[in-house]
Amino acid sequence: MDGRKKRRRYIDYPRQGRTGVRRWLPSWRLWLGSFGFLLACLAGLFAVVYAKIDIPGENALAAREATVYYWADGSQMVSVGAVNRQNISLDKVPKHVQNAVIAAENATFYDDHGVSFTGIGRAVVNMVSGGDTQGGSTITQQFVKNTYLSPEQSATRKMKEFIIALKVNNQKSKQEILRGYLNTSWFGRGSNGVQAAAHAYYGIDAKDLNPSQGALLAALLKGSEQYDPGLSKANHKRAVARWKWILDRLVVTGAMSKQERARYQTFPEPRPVAKPTSQAGQIGYLVDIANKFVKSATGLTDKDLARGGYRIHTTFDKQRTLRLEQAVSDVRKRTLDPKKRAEDTFVEFGAASVRPGDGAIVALYGGADATTHFVNNADTSAVPAGSAFKPFVLAAVLQQEAERYGSGPRPTGSAGSGDDLRGALMQGESPPFVQAGKQIGLGPIRDLVLSAGLRKESLAQLEQTFPLGTSAPSAIRLASAYTTFANGGLHAEPYAVTRMSYQGKNVSGFDRGEPQQVLTPDVALEMTTTLEGLGWRTLSTPGKPPMRHQVAAATTESGDRMKSAWFVGTPSAGGFWGPGESPAPGNGVRADRAPGDGDGNGNGTEPTTAIAMFRNKPGAPQLLPLNGVGGPDTGLGTSLPPQVWTAYQNAS
């Protein structure tokens, strides 16, 4: 030592008396001290935040503003009304219903401190990774979110929820919290609270719900859009499974005996879904599509939207929508007579118009009336595309030839070549398309249609018949895919909402990406020219089928062939139609296209319109055949979609 007094250090780092790597490794005392200091800081920060965040006034749900939807021109389409809620005291909710809700949502409700640390952690991780910030909340937290907070999805809102839940748990009894939760929770079908839900699903007061019905209502708290059994077969399956699980959970938690559980083996089917009369006609279908795009863009749920206060501006053109609805109505009245022909029963139409340049959905036809026919025919993926799919096979072949041969000479006359497929489209032949699938592979065809906007879940298995149109895209998606031909090979994703605000503040999520190049401009031009030429044949003799059907070897049995008829009209390329599982094609072109309506490169505002016709008996597992629809002169009904399109184009 040099004789100087050694100074004492409060933090021994780098460590004295150590050499090498050990000099730079913190001691256990330093680790422990640092950890303790961090905990102290966090505790102090939490104390400050806890003190600063007060329990706000309750959201007056019954007085909330309605959500308003607007047409593309800014005029009001519909106002989805005030919150449907009836507050009731806890003694008006049967104990077995309370138990079912607790068993389903928060089994430790009476013992916990009102918050779930694991749920908060999971929400933070999901938020950071771009997932859903909801889920894992206690009943107290859900009550706080329903009653005191906005529906925004953010870490700040989640932290407020956590703090307020702690304070609410300290200041309110568990009975008060449970009563508030049952009165503010979203059960679907426009109902906030268990009393409104009991009427919406069973037409009775909450006090009259039996344990089986109560278990279904408890199941809906996980998300009515997924568990309302009246919305779809998939929903019904999920609802039954969760209903059984909740009844079993009641046994596990000791709230129900095994003997009583054994009494509830039959699923308590609720009333059919009913839409408010304000959504009659096409309005309900338009709202349905707008809501799907909102939820996809923002992460909001049906529950969030039902709270009201939103202003949603859509792409829907009021006049086009009215014209499309009138066109379907006129063709139905002129050609179908269910009282005289049994074949004319259960006939359904679905249609959508999509603008090529940007993908805006400007009109759709979802069914006769959204308050009586709940399935949106414009958005259903249950109708085979049939021959309307074949142009994509031709496009895939032309694209591959362009990549392989460039501007040089291409093979002609060989099976599966572009020239061969053009002739097959004209003649209504299917074997060349099957051969094309073998020659270029089914993968490139699938990849092309996915790039053009078809959904993966709507595509059929990659089997020999795949090029013949066994896939079942929606009218919206098929129209969107066809815009690729009219838009110079560019595809813009379809959209239905331009902007949205909540209580005067813009909601983010509606920025659209740039259109993607799916086909080369030359191939797109070839496709528009081919379809335009074929189109004249379809519309040249209105009311008559354009050609006889020739069946290929790989199709289904003759009695099961005709399950759908399609027509797709584009600005310049005209269109294409085809019966579902039959390999017979036909095409359509806008014969009266005026200058400026569209030039095949996405210019102008004339939309691409896809029209589907099919027969669907409610409850039947499969579509009914179209044979005989409209009488003997309609080509198995396949001439009706082109008639709808013509009426739509000619309407003033």
Side-chain angles (χ1 to χ4, degrees), residues 285-308:
Y285 303 123
L286 298 173
V287 168
D288 172 62
I289 295 298
N291 285 349
K292 287 179 179 177
F293 278 91
V294 164
K295 289 185 287 186
S296 175
T298 65
L300 293 172
T301 65
D302 286 334
K303 173 183 176 180
D304 297 325
L305 292 173
R307 300 178 75 175

Side-chain angles (χ1 to χ4, degrees), residues 61-268:
L61 289 181
R64 278 191 175 235
E65 291 183 278
T67 288
V68 182
Y69 297 79
Y70 298 91
W71 295 102
D73 64 3
S75 61
Q76 182 172 316
M77 178 197 304
V78 65
S79 174
V80 178
V83 173
N84 175 22
R85 187 181 81 170
Q86 302 173 52
N87 286 338
I88 57 176
S89 57
L90 198 58
D91 61 0
K92 297 293 178 63
V93 182
K95 192 66 176 178
H96 53 253
V97 176
Q98 299 178 38
N99 290 337
V101 169
I102 292 171
E105 293 294 300
N106 183 190
T108 62
F109 170 66
Y110 284 113
D111 301 318
D112 62 36
H113 296 290
V115 296
S116 168
F117 290 94
T118 57
I120 289 289
R122 189 159 52 247
V124 171
V125 171
N126 288 343
M127 183 201 66
V128 171
S129 62
D132 186 4
T133 62
Q134 302 187 84
S137 297
T138 64
I139 282 177
T140 306
Q141 287 175 262
Q142 293 180 61
F143 164 64
V144 166
K145 182 173 63 176
N146 294 344
T147 308
Y148 302 110
L149 300 174
S150 71
E152 66 173 315
Q153 305 294 319
S154 67
T156 301
R157 204 267 309 151
K158 199 70 180 177
M159 179 55 68
K160 287 182 179 179
E161 175 191 307
F162 184 83
I163 298 296
I164 296 172
L166 285 174
K167 289 192 170 185
V168 166
N169 191 73
N170 291 332
Q171 297 179 22
K172 292 180 180 288
S173 69
K174 290 291 187 178
Q175 287 72 25
E176 289 178 297
I177 294 170
L178 183 59
R179 178 195 63 79
Y181 175 68
L182 289 171
N183 279 323
T184 58
S185 290
W186 170 250
F187 289 85
R189 301 195 181 186
S191 55
N192 283 272
V194 66
Q195 175 74 347
H199 280 278
Y201 287 88
Y202 293 108
I204 58 177
D205 287 332
K207 65 181 179 62
D208 298 320
L209 290 167
N210 65 40
S212 183
Q213 294 167 333
L216 175 61
L217 294 190
L220 296 167
L221 293 170
K222 190 172 178 65
S224 61
E225 59 266 38
Q226 296 293 317
Y227 290 91
D228 183 343
L231 295 180
S232 68
K233 292 181 180 179
N235 271 30
H236 194 280
K237 183 177 180 180
R238 284 189 290 265
V240 171
R242 187 158 178 82
W243 166 78
K244 290 180 179 178
W245 178 81
I246 290 172
L247 290 174
D248 292 339
R249 282 283 295 168
L250 287 170
V251 176
V252 172
T253 59
M256 179 182 286
S257 67
K258 292 183 179 180
Q259 292 75 17
E260 185 179 5
R261 168 66 181 91
R263 292 166 50 191
Y264 305 113
Q265 300 297 325
T266 302
F267 183 69

Side-chain angles (χ1 to χ4, degrees), residues 409-421:
R410 301 178 186 178
T412 59
S414 61
S417 69
D419 286 343
D420 183 57
L421 291 186

Side-chain angles (χ1 to χ4, degrees), residues 41 44 64 97 99 109 140 232 333 385 387 423 426 433 480 491 498 519 530 643:
C41 290
R64 278 191 175 235
V97 176
N99 290 337
F109 170 66
T140 306
S232 68
K333 291 178 181 178
S387 294
M426 186 67 72
F433 290 91
S480 174
H491 176 260
T498 56
L519 299 170
T530 299
Q643 291 183 43

Side-chain angles (χ1 to χ4, degrees), residues 330-337 341 344 630-631 634 640 643:
D330 289 348
V331 171
R332 290 188 73 101
K333 291 178 181 178
R334 186 172 67 246
T335 61
L336 302 180
D337 192 348
R341 284 190 300 270
D344 289 355
T634 61
L640 301 189
Q643 291 183 43

